Amino acid sequence: MTKADVVTALRHELQSQYDRLAAAAREAHSYATDPDSKAESKYDTRSLEASYLAEGQAAKAEELRKALENFRPETFRAFEENEPADLGALVEVVYPDRAKAAFFLAAQGGGMMIDFKGLTVMVVTPGAPVFVNLAGKVAGDDIAEPPMKIARIS
């Protein structure tokens, strides 16, 4: 498993999420501005609600677009052996029950998860507790919460 392959897979997932959200925002905007959606009474708020929905979806789509700009394999440097985890690190961990997972420490895209060749990879951002617990640690370190051991940092 290379970090470049993981970043490419994460980028594909981000692109998919962006495409779906942008399409939904366009659809909600179209409904909100359609002349046939004009309110039939003072209590009819369908088009107003659709405009709020479109606005929220457009804002989230913009966040995803910005994240896409940064999720390129060439954007993230390789970490040397025994170098502490920081932004851009792919941290592979082993849990006490021997299950494996990986965390990608990124500035954007937090919470996104993919299954990459049987390994769950989750993007975590600086505001996430697991990011705080992993940052500054090196391969071989134990993490108390959640309990896990860092197997590799790349």
Side-chain angles (χ1 to χ4, degrees):
M1 172 172 81
T2 69
K3 182 162 56 172
D5 291 339
V6 171
V7 171
T8 298
L10 288 168
R11 182 173 170 72
H12 286 300
E13 177 62 22
L14 270 173
Q15 184 68 55
S16 176
Q17 288 180 14
Y18 171 79
D19 291 344
R20 285 191 308 268
L21 200 55
R26 284 190 300 273
E27 186 177 331
H29 179 265
S30 176
Y31 179 81
T33 58
D34 189 321
D36 291 339
S37 297
K38 185 178 178 186
E40 296 174 4
S41 73
K42 67 180 182 177
Y43 301 107
D44 185 355
T45 61
R46 289 175 295 172
S47 65
L48 179 62
E49 291 167 4
S51 70
Y52 289 148
L53 178 62
E55 185 178 327
Q57 289 171 325
K60 181 63 179 170
E62 179 62 17
E63 284 179 32
L64 291 172
R65 188 193 61 74
K66 287 179 183 175
L68 271 167
E69 289 175 2
N70 296 317
F71 267 82
R72 298 185 187 286
E74 63 273 9
T75 304
F76 301 103
R77 68 178 180 81
F79 281 71
E80 300 296 324
E81 189 175 338
N82 293 322
E83 184 178 357
D86 200 358
L87 278 174
L90 178 63
V91 182
E92 297 173 51
V93 300
V94 178
Y95 294 103
D97 66 357
R98 301 272 188 223
K100 296 179 182 181
F103 296 95
F104 189 78
L105 282 57
Q108 296 172 309
M112 181 175 50
M113 289 177 50
I114 61 167
D115 181 56
F116 185 79
K117 297 183 180 180
L119 184 69
T120 299
V121 179
M122 178 181 235
V123 177
V124 292
T125 55
V130 72
F131 183 105
V132 174
N133 290 340
L134 292 173
K137 302 292 192 282
V138 296
D141 282 353
D142 288 312
I143 308 297
E145 193 57 41
M148 60 186 156
K149 183 178 191 87
I150 298 176
R152 189 176 97 158
I153 299 172
S154 58

